[in-house]
């Protein structure tokens, strides 16, 4: 699997996720401003991938400036490019921790973070696969997922879709149902592209059809990624995740979150403290640049919602599952 984000000959190279599925192309980003623009317009997205972007962007700043204060200013702008995904600021801080050693050390730390992300997401998704197989008697399994939590959302493997790769390899997967994920269609554009590329049987469905699919017995388990996880196990993920968790609870289905431990924010006691990014109204009021609402229509367009821990079967990181209500698996002790 080609990396979603990498360092190539002195610049950050990303797969341009805005172009998919119509065109596969890469972008070469040579400045922090170019990287910030790519992050804001979602050319690179997904919490783990944003962690890599934060680290590599800090390396760009370190090579661009002799003044440490200027590097820190660029790093601060980069960390604030999107507010909800904790990995972005985490990646910046990790690379910045070696600034005193010079730009080569900053880059070395960023590259180590990339390698680590691939390894930890493989481990987290393998642990989640084991847990799902324990919870689901039926074989082969029918999974439902939301947004995109595959290799495009990470450095090179995936979280929720990492489970799909493991199950497919073991012969335990029948198909995947991928929510289209309104309004930017990350499921229809990106998840379906990854599944097709990997030869995984799948169907795309409207977000509003997910509960109906559960009621018809078409789903054995819901598996999603995360952008930020609070200390009590509440999870911020793409808007619509909360509704899926409610529907899964109604139908007695496991609801599993897969993420690297870097997505856990132990400083936040609960999901109520998570800052939710609100996106531009035009994402709702237009489609492919064509207005679809009356002029002057007001919009509520949060990019994420928060799923309470009591609706989650388990949050699984590379360290294993955190089960809400289980005192031996509570955050933040779980991360030590």
């Amino acid at each position: 699997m080609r990396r979603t984000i990498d360092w190539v000959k002195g610049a950050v190279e990303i797969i341009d996720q805005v172009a998919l599925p119509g065109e596969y192309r890469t972008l070469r980003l040579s400045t922090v401003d170019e990287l910030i623009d790519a992050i804001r317009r979602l050319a690179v997205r997904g919490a783990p991938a944003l962690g890599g972007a934060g680290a590599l962007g800090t390396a760009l700043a370190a090579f661009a400036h002799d003044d440490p204060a200027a590097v820190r200013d660029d790093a601060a702008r980069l960390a604030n490019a999107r507010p909800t995904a904790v990995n972005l600021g985490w990646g910046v801080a990790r690379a910045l921790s070696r600034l005193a050693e010079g730009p080569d050390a900053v880059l070395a730390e960023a590259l180590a973070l990339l390698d680590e992300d691939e390894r930890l997401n493989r481990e987290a998704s393998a642990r989640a696969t084991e847990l799902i197989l324990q919870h689901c008697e039926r074989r082969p399994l029918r999974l439902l997922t939301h947004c995109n939590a595959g290799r495009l959302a990470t450095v090179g493997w995936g979280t929720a879709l990492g489970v799909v790769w493991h199950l497919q390899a073991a012969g335990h997967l029948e198909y995947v149902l991928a929510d289209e994920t309104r309004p930017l269609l990350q499921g229809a554009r990106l998840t379906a592209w990854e599944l097709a590329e990997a030869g995984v049987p799948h169907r795309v469905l409207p977000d509003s059809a997910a509960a109906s699919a559960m009621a018809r017995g078409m789903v054995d388990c819901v598996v999603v990624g995360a952008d930020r996880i609070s200390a009590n196990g509440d999870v911020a993920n793409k808007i619509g995740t909360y509704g899926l968790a409610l529907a899964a609870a109604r139908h007695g289905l496991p609801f599993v979150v897969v993420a690297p431990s870097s997505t856990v924010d132990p400083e936040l006691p609960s999901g109520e403290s998570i800052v939710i990014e609100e996106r531009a109204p035009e994402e709702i009021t237009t489609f492919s640049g064509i207005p679809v609402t009356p002029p002057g229509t007001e919009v509520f367009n949060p990019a994420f919602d928060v799923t309470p821990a009591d609706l989650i079967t388990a949050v699984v990181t590379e360290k294993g599952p955190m089960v809400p209500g289980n005192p031996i698996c509570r955050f933040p002790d779980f991360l030590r």
Side-chain angles (χ1 to χ4, degrees), residues 213-226:
M214 295 179 198
R216 294 187 183 195
M218 298 170 62
V219 180
D220 298 310
C221 179
V222 180
V223 58
V224 299

Side-chain angles (χ1 to χ4, degrees), residues 21 143-147 175-182 185-196 200-210 213 218:
L143 300 185
L144 186 146
T145 191
H146 189 67
C147 194
Y175 61 71
V176 175
L177 292 177
D179 279 351
E180 60 177 351
T181 317
R182 299 287 301 165
L185 305 178
Q186 292 96 329
R189 294 189 305 105
L190 305 179
T191 296
W193 182 82
E194 287 198 51
L195 294 171
V200 174
H202 64 281
R203 298 167 75 180
V204 173
L205 71 164
D207 298 0
S208 54
M218 298 170 62

Side-chain angles (χ1 to χ4, degrees), residues 4 7 51 61 83 96 106 111 150-152 174 180 206 232 235 237 252 254 272 299 307:
T4 299
W7 183 267
L96 202 59
V106 174
L111 295 177
R151 71 179 178 97
L152 292 172
E174 182 174 343
E180 60 177 351
N232 72 333
V235 170
N237 194 48
E272 294 179 355
V299 169
T307 300

